[in-house]
Amino acid sequence: MPILEVNNIETFYGGIQALKGINVHVNEGEIVTLIGSNGAGKSTTLKSISGLAKVKTGSILFKGKETMNKPVHETTLLGMAHVPEGRKIFSTLTVKENLLMGAFSVNNKQLIEERMEIVFGHFPILKKRLEQKGGTMSGGEQQMLAIGRALMMEPELLMLDEPSMGLAPIIVEQIFDIIKKLNEDGITILLVEQNAYQALNIAHRGYVIRNGEIVLSGKGSELIENSEIRDAYLT
Amino acid sequence: MSILEVTNLTKKFGGLTANQDVTMNIEAGSITAVIGPNGAGKTTFFNMITGVYQPTSGDIKLEGKSLLGLKPDEVAKRGISRTFQNIRLFGEMSVIENVLVGMHIGLKTGLLGIFLNLPTTKKEELLAEKEAYRLLEHFELAPFLNEKACNLSYGAQRKLEIARALATKPKLLLLDEPAAGMNPAETRELTEIIKNMGKEFNVSVLLIEHDMKLVMEISEHIFVLDHGEKIAEGNPEEIRTNTKVIEAYLGSGAVQTV
Amino acid sequence: MKESLAKFLQYKWSQVILFTVFVAVSSAALFFSQKSVTAFLLLLSSLLVLHYMKLKNVTKWIIALGLLFILIPLASSGGPAFQSYMDVATMVGIYVSMALGLNIVVGMAGLLDLGFVAFFAVGAYSYSIFATPQAANFMPFGTYPLGGESFWIFLIIGGVVAAIAGVLIGIPVLRVKGDYLAIVTLGFGEIIRILFNNADKPVNITGGAMGIASVTPPEIFGIPLIFPNQFYFVTLVILIFTIFTVLRLERSKLGRSWKAVRENEIAAQAMGIPLVKTKLLAFALGASFSGMMGVVFAAKQAFIDPTSFTLLESFTILVMVVLGGMGSVPGVILGAAVITILNLQVLTELATWVNQLSFSGIISIPEALSPAKMQKFIFGALLVAFALYRPKGLIPAKNKIFDEKRLKETQAHSDMNATDQKKMQS
Amino acid sequence: MLLEMLQSLPQVLIDGLALGAVYAVVALGYTMVYGILQLINFAHGEIFMTGAFIGTAFFILLMGMGWVSSVPQIVVLIVVLVVTACLTGLLGMGIERVAYRPLRNAPRLIPLITAIGISFILQDVIRFIAELSSGNYIVTGPSLFTNQLTINFSSISSIFNDASFKTSFLIVLVTAVILMISLDYFINRTKWGTAMRAVALDRETASLMSINVNKTISITFFIGSALGGATGVLFAVQYGTIDPFIGFILGMKAFIAAVLGGIGNIRGAMLGGILLGLLEMFASANLSLLTGGVFGAEYKDVFAFSILILVLIFKPEGLLGKPTAEKV
Amino acid sequence: MRLKKSVVLLLSSVLSIGMLAACSSKSKGNESASGSNVIKIATQTPLSGGSAIIGESIRLGAQMKLEEQAEKFKELGYTLQLESYDDQSDPKKGVSNANIIGADKSIYAVVGHYNSGVAIPSSEVYEKYNVAMVSPGTTAVTVTDRKLKTVNRIVGRDDAQGPAGAKYAIETLGAKKIFIIQDKTAYGSGIADAFKAAAEEAGAEIVGYEGITVGEKDFNGVINQVLTKKPDLIYFGGIYSEAGIIIKQARDKGIDVPIMGGDGMDASGLVDIAGDAVKNTYITSVAGDSTATESGRKFVADYKAKFNKDAEAFSVYGYDTMGVILHAIENAINDNNGKIPSKEKVAEAVRSVKEYEGALTNVTFDEIGDNTNAKIYLYKFSEASYPGVLEGEVGK
């Protein structure tokens, strides 16, 4: 059953059309990846889903409900979390405050504590750095914090925008491992990546986006073998 | 002969080291690439060459003359021009005006010439305008000459930025991720333009780029930065097979395909 | 019917005919009436209509000059209000010139200057001090007051002194950016006013709060200029000089550098534009127009004191620029004219009218709501409304349109390449 | 000369503290808004002025009711403070909604211009309301807290003169300190405060945390303006006489204070305010002594602005601010 | 296309307004042409800004006199009209208005201004048009010292007010150490300097001379200087709004020495602001107590009845200024066989007024337009009520 259905959306930035009719769906429990080159519209797709970008036409159904062009703070309440490109840690806030911001809509202190423990389960390092300022951590730690912060919302759908960006390959592997594990724990994941090879490796399904359009889709393992994709994105 | 010599360049921001002892030589007339993961200090490196930042230590020499202590505009006058990672056009100005600003260094008219609208000023302006138009034609931007720069498409904005940088008639052109945001067709077009730049504009090119296909195709020499340090250099073939580079940047996944 | 009228109006000659009729009617109305502000304003607005007509620029200029130099003074000379019209027109000229100066700084170079009136003050004081016995207090040589002929030299001196002041203020101030710049310039504007207000001790230079009275009127060919209609022509000549210069600057490489600095400082610098020098030039040139008009103002008023150079004055000039359209020369001219006329004539007339009505008991409007007191409210409302609904002003700035055909002529550029390349390489 | 300066020092300190406390609380409002929107809310000084008028109007109204005289003055003050703060807070929110929110993506210059416009409108509206109701826009409120207190500095050392002040000084100081401490607590320790800081850093990401950015900004304006309005009341209590033009210059000074301390920095604003108040008072009391009468107290504004310019040139980030470099 | 449309709109709308204007202005022209026997007197005073109360009171006083005299002029065949202008205490505004006034053929004289800073440049304009100006309140010496033929005033000069104050301060109040504060405006500086000169001459020591900024509310810095200098009198050159606060803040600091100032403090606002602290304050004023004479008391009562407001100190001066002007015009008409002579002749007639008895003042202009009978009055405030108690008067 699809948890997210994106039907034929078109999004404009100023006068420029960034998305020219994107169709994507994500089933519950899947890892779906969206690959494509810089500027192809990957991030815009995520932004359109979470409401950061204004969609002109189409429809976005989350858990069967229309969420298109709802304010961001409302869509996120429905159970989707969006980890933005470049991590976007609140740099002068402490790790703890960052995590608390993730749980902004929760007023139950105990619930917050419980969720925090779950996050620490995934990222033990964060527990040690609780009072440190977010901006002083390394890139990999920041990415973990960003994911941890999103997990504080207890999302059903986790959207990750280029989590491997600018990280050392070893860290990248760790991050992908964590993504896999989160999925195993029952979180549906929509992953946007430029690192197509690794993304397709862990994904159940994948979409290739080019110039604001989906040009290919299929199972992750199939796409990885596709020669066209090899030429365009795996080199 | 090398056009740019960088020796032991180091930049520290407070406790953070952005570049550590980077040394590189860039051959005149060549196309050279700097690659590396995000945050490896590539853009900081560019910023030091162009005078936006002053290095903590080390030296930068253009044709044997040090650039240390010069302001960005003085560096530009010496003959280094650049584009920016996040496009920095003069959005409200027209396309051709953007290129004309690039020609600023070449225009000799003084205040008096402007006030009196001397014949020499008029002639100089006309020549500059024609020259600018020729550049636009070269980048296939001529149809948009009176358009506001901010109304161009992303790819066209990237090209305009390069055209504007070339308008300063640089000896060395620094391109910061010129293909970012371009679709494959545009990237191919750009690849051709950069390839021929040396011949047509008599300029050496140093570029930062993530598109490995483009980098491998056009670069004669490649430097790899990681954590602010140079970890490798060589021709594309050498870089492709360098284990350090694969570990730090290309990733084992990429190796299979590259 | 409507359509055919519209079509009719599209033709150049039909426009010209209607324009002529319009000018004729409004000037006749102005000439034969005792006092008609409406007719006066209509005649002035013919210049605006002219701006929108489909004529060559040169033709427009010739018509505009004819209107300004001959028709407007002639038509308004019919009634007793002649001098008051001329006074208003002179003030319009002074403010237009200042607004054009500020437009260089704010509109073109994008530097928000909230203390602009300081340069006006510098110009006004530089003439007043030397055209009265005031200078004798601290100048050991020379006899003061200087004669009225010195006015013409002081036009230049006033401009230069203001430009120097612009540079002096600019050097420290331009190290700060954006919003800070606004506050710092505002501070400097106040400092200069306070200095003028207090420079009567230990040496009496500016006359302090008492100001400087009985400034020698300018003289030309031995004729002293004292009436507004005489000043009208002086102002007009300077104004036209200012407009020409500003237009030249706008289209020159300097104008482009200013706009480039406004749009993106870092990129501008990377193109070889020295930031500080370019900004200082904007400050200095903008200030010099203001300084020049300061001299005219001092001569016209024959009395100046620091109260003419308050913060409100700086804001007023800013309102003119914003209202007209930042960076747009025709816009700023319109903005300055509208605000000045609104301030000096419309509000005053309205206030008088309301007063008359309440005296004769027809209506009773509380004194607090008198239109003359509403200046700030009107300004505020204008600023907000324009920023929200028309941020680019009445006549938005336009980029120069380049003629593609002219640029395509390839003949010239081969040799240009050769010479220019050589120049570059040397 | 030095002796004379020392003699008056205790009194100068006390007067400077009273003025500085006012600057500091108004500066807080500037800093909060600037910290979040990078906008100089020029109208903030006018909100302060509006607060002073609303407060005075309430005082006059309440004092006119017979039974109020039996209520302790301090209770009346608290009631007036709270009511005025709420009203000016709402005013601030309204201003943000009308004049700033539509311009959030406009060039930086444009909201600054609306801010100036709003401040002109407020000045004139208050002026004609005041003029309509009392015939004069200079309004004097009832005298409150006028008990004179004296501190015997002379008993500490004969160099010093005694310093005296009214009870209102204590009230201003205590209220200002309470306001500052609670704001500091609010910003640094509470959920909404943290949300404000998050919004300040990155509006988009904050919204991804299901923070309602518009609401957060409205709250910021509410608090900032409420502080401004409350300070207006304190000002009216301390100085008694107000007019519609007090906000402009005072707002300017408060902004200087905010910049002095490091704009966007709550503690910096407090430090800057107090410092500016003290410096200004010191300057007006001693400038002519120091310069042998050449420069008198009339130069104190020149003094204040010069300090601002010096700070901006040599430490543009302010005393407590941290330097930020623009990313190229 | 859009541009063309706007041209169409502009042209056609503007044209139609043009026609309208032409018609309307014609009718307006006819009206004033037929009114050749209208005599207009202008008032130009600050109706907004810091001195609005005073400006308004002058205007109302003038209006009252004009209306009283209307009947009499009707008999002579003339209609009197008042045109009131607001100079906003702004010289530019004053000059601009002056040009309108000067150009109006039927305006023969001006009641105004209140501020010297506005009167000086504006009178340069009146002089050009030969419009007689009689000021009810400007005290700066420059106003008449320029020897313009149209400029007159019925009140005393700063150089009379300052010395009168100094004389009283030293002789009656026994002041030896005096601290002077002024507001750095033309008025404040002028009167403070005149006081300073006279006080020094009379042997008092000036222990401090400081400036303050108009519009501020905290003057503790300067008052702290007063505290250390321990003078036995404070003199303030400035107007009531700052004076009130200074008095209050000085008294709060325990300074109980007499505080003295000039006519700018002569307003009910002073007492409103300072409250009880106003005790032991002295002001010199060019304005006498309206209630001191029989005719003055009548004026105050009539004023109250007419406008339902209490008369301010300057109301009667507005009234008397208008009286002087109308008196002169009446003389001029009578001398000219019942016809109104040129503006120049009216100005001469104004200048030659001798021994005019107003409600409070007696006016005789000297050769530069100063009133030789102008008096300086000295008031004392011993309780929080306005006006103060008349302590004495000094002739020139």
Side-chain angles (χ1 to χ4, degrees), chain C residues 242-294:
Chain C
T242 309
I243 294 176
F244 264 108
T245 317
V246 169
L247 284 175
R248 287 259 162 84
L249 284 171
E250 191 197 8
R251 296 283 150 91
S252 73
K253 72 165 192 177
L254 194 54
R256 282 196 301 268
S257 332
W258 285 333
K259 284 197 251 171
V261 168
R262 176 190 71 193
E263 295 291 312
N264 197 320
E265 283 194 5
I266 290 167
Q269 216 178 358
M271 294 300 116
I273 294 170
L275 284 188
V276 174
K277 193 181 148 201
T278 310
K279 288 182 183 176
L280 278 182
L281 261 175
F283 252 65
L285 286 171
S288 66
F289 296 126
S290 193
M292 236 186 269
M293 279 308 181

Side-chain angles (χ1 to χ4, degrees), chain A residues 158-171:
Chain A
L158 182 64
M159 300 189 284
L160 300 165
D161 197 346
E162 302 215 23
S164 74
M165 185 199 239
L167 297 181
I170 298 170
I171 309 286

Side-chain angles (χ1 to χ4, degrees), chain E residues 350-363:
Chain E
V350 171
R351 178 60 57 85
S352 57
V353 166
K354 294 265 177 303
E355 299 297 331
Y356 168 80
E357 270 306 329
L360 185 67
T361 56
N362 181 301
V363 180

Side-chain angles (χ1 to χ4, degrees), chain A:
Chain A
M1 195 204 112
I3 188 167
L4 176 76
E5 273 182 88
V6 175
N7 297 320
N8 219 9
I9 55 166
E10 297 190 13
T11 302
F12 289 77
Y13 278 132
I16 300 161
Q17 185 166 15
L19 300 184
K20 300 168 183 166
I22 296 278
N23 285 295
V24 168
H25 72 273
V26 181
N27 294 321
E28 220 162 306
E30 271 187 323
I31 300 180
V32 173
T33 183
L34 207 56
I35 58 172
S37 62
N38 238 332
K42 302 183 307 272
S43 295
T44 311
T45 309
L46 283 200
K47 285 183 175 177
S48 303
I49 296 169
S50 62
L52 282 178
K54 208 156 171 53
V55 183
K56 199 168 180 198
T57 59
S59 83
I60 297 168
L61 299 177
F62 181 67
K63 294 195 285 185
K65 265 185 257 160
E66 179 63 64
T67 66
M68 194 174 87
N69 289 342
K70 279 198 176 171
V72 191
H73 59 91
E74 285 177 22
T75 59
T76 46
L77 278 180
L78 299 172
M80 60 165 96
H82 176 174
V83 181
E85 187 180 352
R87 306 181 275 272
K88 302 282 175 66
I89 291 300
F90 299 120
S91 56
T92 58
L93 267 55
T94 63
V95 169
K96 190 177 177 191
E97 282 171 335
N98 266 286
L99 290 175
L100 286 176
M101 282 298 99
F104 184 78
S105 53
V106 185
N107 285 319
N108 182 339
K109 277 215 169 121
Q110 206 191 332
L111 194 61
I112 294 176
E113 287 293 318
E114 282 170 18
R115 286 189 189 175
M116 227 183 249
E117 283 308 317
I118 295 173
V119 172
F120 294 150
H122 287 291
F123 309 104
I125 185 105
L126 295 183
K127 195 168 187 176
K128 287 183 220 155
R129 301 284 174 93
L130 225 42
E131 293 305 322
Q132 195 176 329
K133 289 260 159 74
T136 61
M137 301 204 300
S138 75
E141 288 164 353
Q142 286 193 9
Q143 187 63 59
M144 291 176 195
L145 177 55
I147 297 176
R149 188 176 61 180
L151 290 179
M152 291 297 287
M153 304 165 87
E154 210 162 58
E156 289 162 69
L157 174 69
L158 182 64
M159 300 189 284
L160 300 165
D161 197 346
E162 302 215 23
S164 74
M165 185 199 239
L167 297 181
I170 298 170
I171 309 286
V172 174
E173 255 156 55
Q174 274 183 35
I175 296 281
F176 278 103
D177 283 346
I178 289 164
I179 295 174
K180 237 175 169 171
K181 182 145 179 301
L182 289 175
N183 181 246
E184 280 157 16
D185 289 357
I187 301 176
T188 311
I189 286 167
L190 177 57
L191 173 66
V192 156
E193 257 304 334
Q194 230 180 331
N195 194 334
Y197 183 79
Q198 266 166 315
L200 288 173
N201 244 342
I202 64 163
H204 299 107
R205 291 189 301 113
Y207 293 88
V208 179
I209 183 168
R210 181 189 296 160
N211 223 352
E213 286 170 296
I214 300 288
V215 291
L216 262 177
S217 63
K219 285 192 173 158
S221 49
E222 285 169 14
L223 289 175
I224 238 175
E225 299 302 325
N226 184 312
S227 62
E228 207 179 309
I229 295 183
R230 292 196 131 210
D231 284 352
Y233 302 105
L234 298 177
T235 51

Side-chain angles (χ1 to χ4, degrees), chain D residues 110-139:
Chain D
I110 303 293
L112 199 61
I113 287 167
T114 43
I116 295 172
I118 292 281
S119 105
F120 278 9
I121 292 177
L122 274 178
Q123 276 181 22
D124 241 17
V125 168
I126 297 289
R127 175 190 60 77
F128 67 62
I129 292 175
E131 244 181 302
L132 277 180
S133 57
S134 68
N136 185 357
Y137 60 75
I138 301 176
V139 175

Side-chain angles (χ1 to χ4, degrees), chain D residues 10-269:
Chain D
Q11 187 69 53
V12 167
L13 284 179
I14 282 176
D15 292 332
L17 222 51
L19 188 63
V22 171
Y23 285 162
V25 189
V26 179
L28 287 179
Y30 269 112
T31 267
M32 275 180 70
V33 170
Y34 192 90
I36 292 197
L37 288 176
Q38 272 76 49
L39 163 80
I40 299 179
N41 181 13
F42 242 104
H44 192 65
E46 266 58 47
I47 291 173
F48 157 84
M49 175 274 291
T50 312
F53 270 88
I54 294 176
T56 306
F58 268 113
F59 278 130
I60 293 174
L61 193 75
L62 288 175
M63 291 302 164
M65 298 180 195
W67 57 270
V68 177
S69 52
S70 55
V71 179
Q73 283 189 350
I74 190 81
V75 177
V76 177
L77 174 75
I78 290 170
V79 170
V80 171
L81 264 180
V82 171
V83 174
T84 310
C86 287
L87 288 175
T88 51
L90 289 174
L91 176 70
M93 266 169 76
I95 291 174
E96 191 271 334
R97 184 72 194 78
V98 173
Y100 301 148
R101 192 176 297 177
L103 297 171
R104 226 173 262 166
N105 297 316
R108 293 280 291 275
L109 214 64
I110 303 293
L112 199 61
I113 287 167
T114 43
I116 295 172
I118 292 281
S119 105
F120 278 9
I121 292 177
L122 274 178
Q123 276 181 22
D124 241 17
V125 168
I126 297 289
R127 175 190 60 77
F128 67 62
I129 292 175
E131 244 181 302
L132 277 180
S133 57
S134 68
N136 185 357
Y137 60 75
I138 301 176
V139 175
T140 305
S143 304
L144 298 167
F145 312 108
T146 46
N147 290 348
Q148 286 290 329
L149 301 172
T150 306
I151 303 180
N152 292 322
F153 279 98
S154 51
S155 62
I156 302 170
S157 160
S158 56
I159 303 171
F160 298 124
N161 278 349
D162 289 347
S164 70
F165 50 84
K166 289 192 295 179
T167 333
S168 62
F169 161 71
L170 279 185
I171 287 172
V172 169
L173 205 63
V174 170
T175 320
V177 168
I178 291 173
L179 288 178
M180 288 188 242
I181 291 175
S182 33
L183 181 71
D184 200 62
Y185 178 84
F186 175 80
I187 296 282
N188 289 315
R189 293 275 176 275
T190 65
K191 189 167 113 175
W192 276 102
T194 319
M196 277 179 193
R197 284 185 289 145
V199 169
L201 287 166
D202 187 338
R203 255 177 257 163
E204 260 194 7
T205 309
S207 71
L208 288 176
M209 305 292 113
S210 59
I211 297 170
N212 185 339
V213 173
N214 282 337
K215 194 171 155 192
T216 314
I217 292 176
S218 285
I219 291 177
T220 310
F221 267 87
F222 181 86
I223 294 174
S225 307
L227 284 177
T231 326
V233 178
L234 294 180
F235 185 90
V237 169
Q238 170 77 358
Y239 297 111
T241 301
I242 51 175
D243 68 49
F245 308 108
I246 51 173
F248 199 77
I249 284 293
L250 194 129
M252 206 66 64
K253 297 269 178 68
F255 181 78
I256 294 177
V259 174
L260 196 64
I263 193 148
N265 184 319
I266 300 282
R267 285 171 204 180

